[in-house]
């Protein structure tokens, strides 16, 4: 792999890079360049360890994970850390899981950097939603079946199912829906979707810990998965996908791990 010299990233700047789903070979070349150039790297606990292998040994590594339910730095502290280091002339890289533009509080970090007059760039990554589709060897859109893809959070600031979800959109049988941060609230969401007219038979898949050796897939109907997920209480991060486009997905997982 050819990478450019560290000077590809100016001193005193911040790069928010998408770490993708965790597989190191799904990083972009630009993300690798920025990691190699970095003097300081702030990383989420969902960013795979292998990704950090690109960082120079003399660079400072700072863990700023925000996994739900665990103590972690506040968002303003994370922004402050990035900015303080950049103002000291460091090249600061912030690694985020998946893509920085999807449920990653990137907007807050951009605003903080702009307020401080620190140059910031975004390096896109592969979001878990499309990485999950690839892992399952399926497509999120399907001609005449799924004309729309929607990404939604199942988790409000207090960890509950958001009360302002657009349930009509989420119950659209012609959409494929990707639910982020929804493992704890999915039973409640499924109940609301069914009440809105979505069939309990809608194909549903949970992908846990994608991009790690412990990736697990659970597949079944909306009703089944809601019950099984509530009982299984998976520990790893989970992406939940549902919609008619996912029919038969369980037969197409690379490892045959789906049920
Ligand atoms: C804060 S959001 C970050 C999303 C990320 N920016 C993206 O584009 O995928 C965290 C949520 O993303 C999903 N997620 C992130 N990494 C995952 C992984 N390796 N396996 C399954 N789901 C994952 C889970 O729903 C998790 O609760």
């Amino acid at each position: 792999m050819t990478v450019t010299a560290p000077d590809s990233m100016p001193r005193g700047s911040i790069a928010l890079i998408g770490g993708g789903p965790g597989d190191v070979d799904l990083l972009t070349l630009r993300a690798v360049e920025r990691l190699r150039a970095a003097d300081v790297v702030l990383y989420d606990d969902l960013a795979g360890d292998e990704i950090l292998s690109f960082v120079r040994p003399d660079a400072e590594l700072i863990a700023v994970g925000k996994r739900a339910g665990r103590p972690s730095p506040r968002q303003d502290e994370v922004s402050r850390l990035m900015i303080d280091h950049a103002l000291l002339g460091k090249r600061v890289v912030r690694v985020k899981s998946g893509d920085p533009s999807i449920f990653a509080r990137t907007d807050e970090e951009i605003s903080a950097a702009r307020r401080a007059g620190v140059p910031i760039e975004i390096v896109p990554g592969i979001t878990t939603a499309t990485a999950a589709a690839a892992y399952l060897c399926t497509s999120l859109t399907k001609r005449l079946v799924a004309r729309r893809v929607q990404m939604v959070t199942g988790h409000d600031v207090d960890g509950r199912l958001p009360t302002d979800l657009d349930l009509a959109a989420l119950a659209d049988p012609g959409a494929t829906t990707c639910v982020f941060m929804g493992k704890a609230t999915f039973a409640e969401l499924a109940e609301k979707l069914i009440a809105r007219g979505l069939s309990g038979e809608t194909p549903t898949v949970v992908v846990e810990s994608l991009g790690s050796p412990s990736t697990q897939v659970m597949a079944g109907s909306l009703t089944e998965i809601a019950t099984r997920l509530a009982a299984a209480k998976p520990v790893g991060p989970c992406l939940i996908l549902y919609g008619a486009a996912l029919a038969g997905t369980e037969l197409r997982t690379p490892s045959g791990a789906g049920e």
Side-chain angles (χ1 to χ4, degrees):
M1 184 181 296
T2 309
V3 292
T4 57
D7 285 344
S8 62
M9 188 176 169
R11 290 186 181 283
S13 70
I14 297 171
L16 304 184
I17 71 165
D23 310 80
V24 76
D25 54 350
L26 288 180
L27 277 177
T28 65
L29 294 175
R30 191 178 300 175
V32 172
E33 272 184 21
R34 300 302 182 266
L35 285 166
R36 291 196 164 150
D39 301 310
V40 179
V41 177
L42 294 90
Y43 64 98
D44 277 350
D45 46 10
L46 294 181
D49 290 345
E50 261 192 280
I51 288 173
L52 301 177
S53 65
F54 292 108
V55 177
R56 296 195 322 269
D58 61 319
E60 186 181 351
L61 284 177
I62 306 174
V64 291
K66 280 200 279 280
R67 187 78 62 84
R70 292 194 202 156
S72 58
R74 293 201 330 250
Q75 181 59 49
D76 55 349
E77 290 168 11
V78 175
S79 298
R80 190 73 258 152
L81 268 173
M82 292 195 309
I83 288 161
D84 285 351
H85 281 98
L87 289 174
L88 289 171
K90 310 274 188 194
R91 301 175 184 99
V92 180
V93 166
R94 166 89 166 97
V95 187
K96 291 173 174 280
S97 70
D99 183 86
S101 70
I102 311 287
F103 301 124
R105 302 188 71 174
T106 291
D107 53 321
E108 293 168 55
E109 293 173 4
I110 294 170
S111 302
R114 286 192 175 145
R115 275 196 305 274
V118 171
I120 185 162
E121 74 163 333
I122 312 292
V123 178
I126 296 179
T127 178
T128 317
T130 52
Y135 182 81
L136 297 167
C137 201
T138 194
S139 171
L140 297 178
T141 59
K142 204 170 196 178
R143 223 162 108 87
L144 307 177
V145 174
R147 67 188 112 75
R148 203 158 66 79
V149 176
Q150 51 193 353
M151 297 185 196
V152 67
T153 175
H155 177 126
D156 212 342
V157 281
D158 58 5
R160 302 211 180 101
L161 187 69
T163 51
D164 57 355
L165 292 175
D166 183 346
L167 291 171
L170 295 177
D172 177 1
T176 302
T177 304
C178 309
V179 186
F180 289 75
M181 298 170 281
K183 65 184 176 187
T185 57
F186 193 65
E188 189 186 345
L189 176 62
E191 202 179 297
K192 288 183 191 294
L193 296 175
I194 291 167
R196 277 294 182 129
L198 187 65
S199 167
E201 293 304 311
T202 303
T204 302
V205 182
V206 181
V207 183
E208 179 185 359
S209 300
L210 189 64
S212 81
S214 53
T215 303
Q216 301 273 343
V217 175
M218 197 190 280
S221 69
L222 180 65
T223 311
E224 280 164 11
I225 294 299
T227 307
R228 285 170 56 194
L229 198 56
K233 293 191 176 30
V235 177
C238 289
L239 185 80
I240 306 162
L241 306 108
Y242 64 85
L246 295 158
T249 298
E250 63 276 21
L251 304 175
R252 298 199 296 266
T253 57
S255 60
E259 298 166 21

